[in-house]
Amino acid sequence: MGAARSSVEAAVAELGRLRTSIAAAGERREAAGREFTALETQVAGVEQGEEGLDADYEKASAALEAIRETIKVIAGEERAADRERGALAARLDVLREGLKRRDGSQRLLDSGLDGVLGPLAASLRIALGWESAVSAALAAVADAVVVVDGAAATVALRRMKHDDAGQVTLVIQGVTEQDAPAENQPTLSEEQDVRPAISLIECSAGLRAPLAALLSGIVVVEDLYTAEAVLQAAVPDAAAQDTAQAGGGVTVVTRSGDVVSRHHARGGTPGAPGVLEVQAAVDDAATRLA
């Protein structure tokens, strides 16, 4: 009987230990579950982060490739700009060489005389596209040298004679607007596209009056058809009538450089560029190189 009781007590004790072990195992299982859940969440976050890193890498790679392509384009443009700059520099040298006078003008410009200011062409700005017309309107004066006054002009001419330096054309600066003659312009229909030649020129105040005198009675038009219409429609005033009877009158110059008046005409196929056209090309090339 005592042995049976001992066995029962031992069994109960063992049962208690088993229950304790089961409870502890349950707690460990729950802890393991919680740990597993935490690890699972962490792993999911890492995988999601890797996906974000992959996307960022792809974006960065695409941006880098775009930058490389841009650098290639810019490098190509720089090479093209360098080639253009070299070509412009060479053209500018050729054009400047073409501006050197082959007559007495260059001798006078190099003489160092007081009152000799420089080439007329370098002192003018011509409306774009009308260089040939203004050059034809000025004729030989387009190659002139500007001097400060009449005294400087006579000194210059004496030097040319003394040095047997050839011919030179001079434009005398310093004449005031009040001293300049009134411009002799025809009365024209408003429909006609015609303007005074002087209106195409920008220059200093000192040159405005002499140029207005030199270009008095000269107008510019687009073509010969318009020139013919202008001559037919021109109605000179009394003073202009006297000039016309003396062989003058209105003169019409086309954009391409044809010159037509009531008594003479000059033109045809354009020849070599005049000094005003070359000067305009020099100014353009120098501006683009700046």
Side-chain angles (χ1 to χ4, degrees):
M1 196 64 181
R5 186 180 294 113
S6 297
S7 297
V8 170
E9 289 175 356
V12 170
E14 182 66 23
L15 180 61
R17 286 193 299 272
L18 288 172
R19 285 175 178 170
T20 301
S21 297
I22 290 171
E27 291 176 359
R28 289 194 299 272
R29 183 182 62 191
E30 290 177 1
R34 288 192 298 271
E35 185 177 357
F36 176 78
T37 301
L39 288 172
E40 187 177 38
T41 302
Q42 184 177 358
V43 169
V46 170
E47 290 178 349
Q48 184 177 5
E50 288 179 351
E51 291 177 358
L53 288 174
D54 289 342
D56 290 343
Y57 176 79
E58 293 297 332
K59 290 180 181 178
S61 296
L64 179 59
E65 187 62 28
I67 291 172
R68 286 173 175 167
E69 289 299 320
T70 301
I71 290 173
K72 288 181 182 178
V73 172
I74 293 174
E77 291 176 350
E78 287 181 347
R79 288 192 294 271
D82 287 341
R83 289 194 297 270
E84 182 180 2
R85 185 176 181 83
L88 277 173
R91 173 174 167 76
L92 185 58
D93 290 340
V94 172
L95 290 170
R96 282 174 172 163
E97 182 66 24
L99 280 177
K100 291 183 178 179
R101 272 59 175 179
R102 306 305 179 190
D103 58 4
S105 299
Q106 193 62 49
R107 292 281 296 274
L108 180 60
L109 290 170
D110 295 338
S111 68
L113 284 178
D114 291 339
V116 176
L117 301 181
L120 175 65
S123 304
L124 309 180
R125 289 183 62 86
I126 312 300
L128 184 64
W130 292 95
E131 295 86 359
S132 295
V134 174
S135 182
L138 288 171
V141 179
D143 295 321
V145 173
V146 181
V147 294
V148 70
D149 54 27
T154 56
V155 170
L157 293 179
R158 284 198 294 269
R159 170 64 70 88
M160 297 296 291
K161 290 179 179 295
H162 179 272
D163 294 347
D164 193 20
Q167 291 285 306
V168 65
T169 301
L170 303 175
V171 170
I172 302 172
Q173 184 180 258
V175 180
T176 64
E177 292 289 347
Q178 290 76 12
D179 295 331
E183 292 184 16
N184 172 27
Q185 304 298 349
T187 302
L188 300 167
S189 168
E190 293 181 357
E191 288 76 18
Q192 290 174 318
D193 185 12
V194 58
R195 69 194 79 176
I198 187 65
S199 69
L200 300 174
I201 300 174
E202 292 182 15
C203 61
S204 66
L207 282 174
R208 191 73 182 176
L211 287 176
L214 289 166
L215 296 173
S216 177
I218 301 178
V219 296
V220 293
V221 298
E222 185 65 33
D223 52 39
L224 285 170
Y225 295 104
T226 309
E228 183 179 10
V230 167
L231 288 174
Q232 291 177 352
V235 182
D237 58 22
Q241 285 281 13
D242 294 340
T243 304
Q245 290 173 1
V250 62
T251 298
V252 187
V253 182
T254 68
R255 181 189 287 268
S256 62
D258 295 311
V259 180
V260 185
S261 74
R262 294 182 182 277
H263 308 293
H264 80 282
R266 182 179 74 251
T269 303
V275 65
L276 292 181
E277 293 101 315
V278 176
Q279 183 66 56
V282 166
D283 293 342
D284 176 66
T287 300
R288 292 167 66 184
L289 279 173

